[in-house]
Amino acid sequence: MIKFENSFHKLNTDFYENVIPSKPPKPELISFNKSLSNLLGIKISWIESIEGLECFTGKQVIRNSNPLAMVYAGHQFGNWVPRLGDGRAILLGEILDQNNERWDIQLKGSGLTPFSRNGDGKAALGPVLREYLMSEAMYQLGIPTTLALFIAKTGENVYREKVFPGAIITRVAKSHIRVGTFQYFASLGKYNLVKELMDYVIKRNFPEITNNQNKYLSFLKFVIDAQAKLISKWMSVGFIHGVMNTDNCSIVGDTIDYGPCAFMDKYNENTVFSSIDTFGRYSYKNQPLICQWNLAQLANCILPFLSDEKEKSIKIAQNEIDKYSEVYQNYFSKEIFKKLGFSSKIENDNKLKNELFEIMKRDELDFTISFSNLYFELLNIDNNLSKFTGNSRDFTKWISKWKLRLKKEKKSVNQIAENLKQSNPIIIPRNHLVEEAINFALENDNFSKYFNLLKLVSDPFKYKERYINYYKPPDVLDENFRTFCGT
Ligand code: AMP
Ligand code: MG
């Protein structure tokens, strides 16, 4: 049995609508995340029980759960949408884990809510499998993210461009509040609710600033910091979120709303995968800037709390938003230096880093392998992946310079090599692998390939020769590969 808490439900009722999940005709478990269940203190025997299945598919609303759909607004591709909200997601409640950390437990794909607009509130199996796999991969890569606890088929069909099996994913998050949640209330002039929301986030997620003199300015600084850190981590693994609308921008700095996201194979800073991102607004290279734009929207919502005078508030907010670029650059450089095995920055490190990216760009090197190969290069180990960078003479030259730089480290070569291994994933969920695994599951109702890939991306820093095919880019890279929103 699990015991839900409902701190969000206790807030002003303007924040949500009470909803009952639709009852799926024939729920069937596909998989659940054992270590996450353990973290949350949910007994495995319960999660595997009928009650567990019914709870996480919405068939049964268990005691203490107060299901609700949250309201929010947002800028979608820069266009203001005054009301969005959870159109296919329902918050069941919260769980306190063993460390007293509070986690939202939310169903995604559990039917209509007052915010469903033209949608059906349901989710198709493909996107559910994708989110379960991608969020686990991100988590194991050490990137802040919402988590996925449970995936199940519903036993009914959903209708998209084709008919697909319906499915539900149980999402777990430190918060589901978005920049768009603040925008919704600020746009209506309901600043008492903006304040209530901010106080809630501070109490729950940023308790260390509760007693700060200007805690709302601290709040803004915290969100900026968390977002800058998050984006720097995306950029350091070649992750492209694909739909960085303000409603998909988590207030606590987690990766949220896995839709058309994907990892790039060969390095091209203009890469876009999402089929609807026609103008490349959310391309790889634009992500840091878009993040700043989103943060400016947040700052705008909380202006009345930054000072008593409007002009002064704007100045304060602008100052914080201007500082973002530096905060981001610092985080990004740190991420990359870690990947290069530098324990701290010394003269010319930035130049060396920029040169590497230039070479990766010019010679269209594989992003992941350019970094994972460093371990093998340092130890002079020949391996099957080096051919993906070995043809680049500039890369080879760069390696010599990099090795010279490493001589300035106060560590043994083996220690540096170990650090390189821990900082550069050998496997990421490459598009061709994810597509193949999911299509195979959909076409054959057989999840073996999917589970195999899931297992490998769940241990992204471990090299095993026999899995070499999973580490390589596809033989022929599909330059037109496109992803779709998870609807
Ligand atoms: P997303 O693409 O996940 O960021 O969703 C954008 C908005 O569309 C959110 O308000 C979602 O709740 C809503 N939405 C997406 N898919 C559906 C669906 N199948 N049914 C109802 N609402 C949806
Ligand atoms: Mg969304």
Side-chain angles (χ1 to χ4, degrees):
M1 188 58 190
I2 55 175
K3 189 170 175 297
F4 282 122
E5 304 229 345
N6 303 282
S7 70
F8 195 80
H9 193 261
K10 291 198 181 102
L11 299 181
N12 194 297
T13 51
D14 282 13
F15 289 123
Y16 59 84
E17 295 280 348
N18 292 306
V19 265
I20 299 295
S22 355
K23 290 191 193 322
K26 196 168 165 284
E28 194 185 320
L29 171 70
I30 302 170
S31 178
F32 69 93
N33 184 331
K34 219 173 188 171
S35 53
L36 182 55
S37 318
N38 288 333
L39 170 78
L40 295 171
I42 305 176
K43 277 208 178 94
I44 303 295
S45 57
W46 184 80
I47 214 168
E48 287 176 329
S49 72
I50 292 286
E51 194 178 54
L53 176 69
E54 293 193 343
C55 171
F56 294 133
T57 53
K59 186 145 191 163
Q60 193 190 136
V61 176
I62 66 167
R63 212 157 61 94
N64 297 315
S65 167
N66 262 320
L68 61 88
M70 294 163 74
V71 65
Y72 49 84
H75 280 95
Q76 296 189 312
F77 290 90
N79 301 311
W80 173 242
V81 185
R83 199 174 92 140
L84 287 158
D86 291 333
R88 57 170 161 172
I90 295 177
L91 182 69
L92 293 180
E94 302 132 24
I95 291 184
L96 284 182
D97 71 16
Q98 285 110 325
N99 308 319
N100 238 11
E101 173 128 35
R102 186 177 292 271
W103 296 94
D104 282 1
I105 310 293
Q106 191 198 58
L107 301 182
K108 207 168 151 186
S110 52
L112 292 175
T113 78
F115 309 111
S116 298
R117 295 176 295 160
N118 299 322
D120 57 2
K122 305 279 165 76
L125 179 57
V128 162
L129 292 175
R130 207 155 194 285
E131 172 154 354
Y132 192 67
L133 183 114
M134 295 300 262
S135 57
E136 177 64 9
M138 292 291 271
Y139 173 73
Q140 298 295 349
L141 288 166
I143 300 176
T145 176
T146 60
L147 306 169
L149 177 66
F150 195 97
I151 48 173
K153 288 195 267 187
T154 57
E156 68 183 355
N157 287 330
V158 296
Y159 299 87
R160 299 292 180 260
E161 69 281 11
K162 279 191 340 205
V163 184
F164 292 104
I168 294 182
I169 182 165
T170 305
R171 180 161 70 175
V172 176
K174 293 195 280 294
S175 176
H176 280 94
I177 296 172
R178 303 135 192 276
V179 166
T181 322
F182 285 88
Q183 287 182 289
Y184 179 76
F185 294 102
S187 69
L188 297 174
K190 295 185 171 178
Y191 284 99
N192 58 325
L193 296 178
V194 171
K195 184 167 179 291
E196 187 176 347
L197 202 58
M198 232 179 340
D199 285 333
Y200 177 80
V201 175
I202 291 172
K203 187 166 174 224
R204 175 170 169 184
N205 304 104
F206 308 140
E208 56 273 60
I209 64 172
T210 313
N211 297 319
N212 283 15
Q213 214 180 15
N214 188 345
K215 66 174 172 180
Y216 300 123
L217 175 58
S218 303
F219 166 82
L220 180 61
K221 285 177 195 260
F222 259 59
V223 181
I224 290 174
D225 193 77
Q227 280 291 332
K229 196 175 196 168
L230 174 70
I231 308 302
S232 76
K233 286 183 183 283
W234 289 358
M235 299 298 279
S236 76
V237 293
F239 175 81
I240 300 163
H241 181 279
V243 57
M244 288 176 71
N245 295 334
T246 52
D247 51 299
N248 293 334
C249 179
S250 141
I251 209 72
V252 295
D254 281 344
T255 312
I256 194 169
D257 282 9
Y258 287 84
C261 67
F263 286 78
M264 68 173 137
D265 292 280
K266 83 173 181 209
Y267 180 58
N268 173 354
E269 60 184 8
N270 295 316
T271 306
V272 170
F273 291 117
S274 169
S275 58
I276 55 170
D277 192 1
T278 326
F279 301 107
R281 180 180 167 91
Y282 300 139
S283 68
Y284 172 79
K285 77 163 182 223
N286 282 354
Q287 296 187 121
L289 261 182
I290 287 293
C291 176
Q292 186 182 34
W293 192 88
N294 289 348
L295 290 165
Q297 307 314 310
L298 175 71
N300 200 22
C301 297
I302 65 166
L303 286 178
F305 306 98
L306 298 180
S307 85
D308 294 334
E309 293 164 45
K310 195 169 175 200
E311 287 306 311
K312 201 170 154 203
S313 293
I314 292 175
K315 264 204 180 126
I316 294 173
Q318 191 62 54
N319 183 38
E320 293 308 319
I321 296 299
D322 288 346
K323 279 195 283 188
Y324 162 89
S325 313
E326 199 185 327
V327 177
Y328 165 76
Q329 267 311 330
N330 274 336
Y331 275 126
F332 180 64
S333 297
K334 264 199 194 135
E335 285 296 326
I336 301 301
F337 293 152
K338 201 164 74 193
K339 288 169 82 71
L340 299 181
F342 305 164
S343 42
S344 61
K345 181 183 147 193
I346 59 171
E347 212 189 333
N348 284 334
D349 279 357
N350 258 330
K351 194 164 160 248
L352 206 56
K353 166 184 136 248
N354 295 340
E355 270 175 28
L356 173 62
F357 277 89
E358 273 306 309
I359 296 166
M360 285 162 60
K361 176 167 146 182
R362 212 172 38 239
D363 289 350
E364 302 190 330
L365 302 186
D366 184 86
F367 189 99
T368 306
I369 295 179
S370 296
F371 289 99
S372 60
N373 249 351
L374 297 177
Y375 167 84
F376 301 103
E377 292 281 357
L378 183 65
L379 299 179
N380 296 315
I381 302 174
D382 228 5
N383 87 71
N384 283 323
L385 297 174
S386 38
K387 70 167 181 244
F388 296 101
T389 49
N391 294 335
S392 161
R393 286 183 50 202
D394 285 342
F395 186 76
T396 312
K397 275 195 227 157
W398 182 89
I399 288 287
S400 308
K401 281 202 242 176
W402 169 72
K403 282 187 178 173
L404 273 180
R405 158 64 181 87
L406 285 182
K407 291 207 188 313
K408 296 189 178 139
E409 287 292 313
K410 293 185 187 71
K411 284 189 191 125
S412 70
V413 168
N414 282 339
Q415 272 174 322
I416 299 174
E418 199 45 44
N419 290 346
L420 290 173
K421 211 173 170 182
Q422 304 295 332
S423 316
N424 295 303
I426 193 79
I427 182 166
I428 45 132
R430 290 184 187 269
N431 298 326
H432 68 291
L433 298 175
V434 176
E435 289 303 293
E436 191 200 346
I438 292 179
N439 287 340
F440 188 82
L442 293 179
E443 282 158 21
N444 305 287
D445 197 27
N446 175 336
F447 294 78
S448 56
K449 278 192 182 186
Y450 175 78
F451 286 132
N452 192 27
L453 183 61
L454 179 63
K455 193 167 154 221
L456 291 175
V457 298
S458 302
D459 202 359
F461 301 99
K462 179 116 157 225
Y463 177 85
K464 278 198 186 141
E465 185 68 34
R466 70 173 183 278
Y467 294 126
I468 192 92
N469 281 337
Y470 291 89
Y471 307 154
K472 294 193 302 201
D475 293 336
V476 183
L477 188 65
D478 177 3
E479 304 274 351
N480 295 317
F481 178 79
R482 289 288 170 269
T483 51
F484 299 89
C485 278
T487 47

